[in-house]
Amino acid sequence: MARTALILHGGAGARRERNYDAEVVHMRQVVEAMKARLDAGASAVDVAVEAVVMLEDSGLYVAGRGASPNLAGAYELDASLMDGASGKAGAVAALQGFRNPVVAARAVMDRTPHVMLAGEGAALFAHDQGLEPIGDEEAWFTRAGKGEDNHPPGGLSHGTVGCCVLDSEGRLAAATSTAGVFGKMPGRVGDTPIPAAGTWADDSAAVSCTGQGEYFIRVAAAARTAFGVAAGQSLAEAAQATIDRIGGLGGDGGLIALDREGNIAQPYNSQGMKRAWLTTDGEIGVQVFDQ
Ligand code: ASP
């Protein structure tokens, strides 16, 4: 069987004082479900989106159902995905009223000539596409980030989900979805929906970022990592260099990355990062903190 691999994250806002048993169990379930999809020949793009839908719907992470509102009380969600084989990307920013922002991002990629739709236009498009709306927002959202929303340098506490996939045909894809940082201003957009900043996939690497998005935008974190691999760095070196650069600017967060050999990198400079992976040998791992 062809060698497939995957890594996902549930955000780099993890706090040592909090218990993540539910997330650990859930992330393993997502990897197991996606392993079955990859074994059945599913494409990297499909698996990246399906994994992120499971993460969004769980209500366990600060994305999809787990979102927290902005300072005005509105739930504005961001998501993007990129197909490394075609170089196509799709994104939505500050989307309100729909259950799965990553599905809206996929529709932008597949069914429009654009890469990103924002705000009201994104919501109109999601409606026209028949995507599932949220009825009662207060009943739907779980605010999963309670307990993660009181940290770090600069105050931009955060949580996000993402997934990078290598499929049986050697194609790479990445997808990322978030409610952004806690206490964000209305209209604030972070790195998550911006290809090159929060998400990237080409034929060298797939990358999904999580952290204080303002810093990830400033260094083009996801593309920088893939370009480092294309220029001859190992995935681990390129990924660590990106996080070091962000740390040097005072930023906090992490990223997950996968190259076309199926190597995995998962550096972060925050307290922890919820993540789980499937190696090319078929082994599954799940981790939140390093010790
Ligand atoms: N990067 C996301 C943002 O800034 C937040 C996160 O990853 O936790 O919107």
Side-chain angles (χ1 to χ4, degrees):
M1 185 174 295
R3 287 150 63 86
T4 60
L6 169 156
I7 180 160
L8 60 81
H9 70 78
R15 307 284 295 158
R16 282 196 191 283
E17 59 271 22
R18 228 187 104 165
N19 178 289
Y20 291 99
D21 289 350
E23 288 86 344
V24 165
V25 168
H26 182 256
M27 289 190 291
R28 180 176 289 278
Q29 285 169 350
V30 177
V31 175
E32 284 168 353
M34 294 305 115
K35 179 179 186 311
R37 294 283 292 127
L38 285 166
D39 288 349
S43 73
V45 173
D46 284 348
V47 171
V49 171
E50 288 169 28
V52 169
V53 164
M54 285 182 78
L55 294 162
E56 286 178 341
D57 281 349
S58 69
L60 290 171
Y61 318 90
V62 189
R65 188 165 193 193
S68 287
N70 66 19
L71 284 176
Y75 292 86
E76 293 187 331
L77 275 52
D78 304 329
S80 66
L81 81 154
M82 191 156 178
D83 175 4
S86 65
K88 285 178 143 191
V92 289
L95 173 67
Q96 290 190 51
F98 290 85
R99 175 171 167 160
N100 294 114
V102 75
V103 175
R106 173 91 194 246
V108 172
M109 182 176 90
D110 287 347
R111 301 184 206 148
T112 81
H114 307 305
V115 167
M116 189 188 301
L117 294 175
E120 213 175 307
L124 280 172
F125 172 71
H127 174 77
D128 288 347
Q129 294 297 311
L131 303 191
E132 196 172 335
I134 295 164
D136 177 352
E137 286 199 328
E138 288 313 311
W140 174 251
F141 289 111
T142 63
R143 300 189 183 208
K146 282 189 223 104
E148 289 182 349
D149 56 359
N150 61 347
H151 80 114
L156 300 170
S157 304
H158 50 79
T160 285
V161 303
C163 185
C164 302
V165 185
L166 173 69
D167 70 21
S168 57
E169 299 197 10
R171 296 172 297 203
L172 290 160
T176 316
S177 178
T178 193
V181 291
F182 298 105
K184 66 182 183 180
M185 295 169 66
R188 180 267 186 188
V189 174
D191 61 315
T192 299
I194 303 175
T199 304
W200 187 261
D202 56 22
D203 53 8
S204 296
V207 185
S208 171
C209 300
T210 167
Q212 297 170 315
E214 284 70 7
Y215 295 90
F216 286 75
I217 295 171
R218 288 178 192 139
V219 308
R224 169 189 291 269
T225 303
F227 294 169
V229 175
Q233 280 182 304
S234 72
L235 185 77
E237 283 167 354
Q240 188 60 53
T242 297
I243 294 304
D244 289 348
R245 178 103 182 177
I246 285 165
L249 295 174
D252 164 284
L255 63 82
I256 56 169
L258 192 60
D259 68 15
R260 63 179 173 204
E261 314 300 333
N263 293 308
I264 283 169
Q266 43 190 304
Y268 58 91
N269 68 2
S270 47
Q271 286 191 14
M273 180 168 73
K274 291 159 257 177
R275 72 260 191 215
W277 59 89
L278 167 71
T279 68
T280 52
D281 297 329
E283 276 162 33
I284 293 176
V286 188
Q287 211 161 351
V288 178
F289 303 104
D290 276 341
Q291 305 103 27

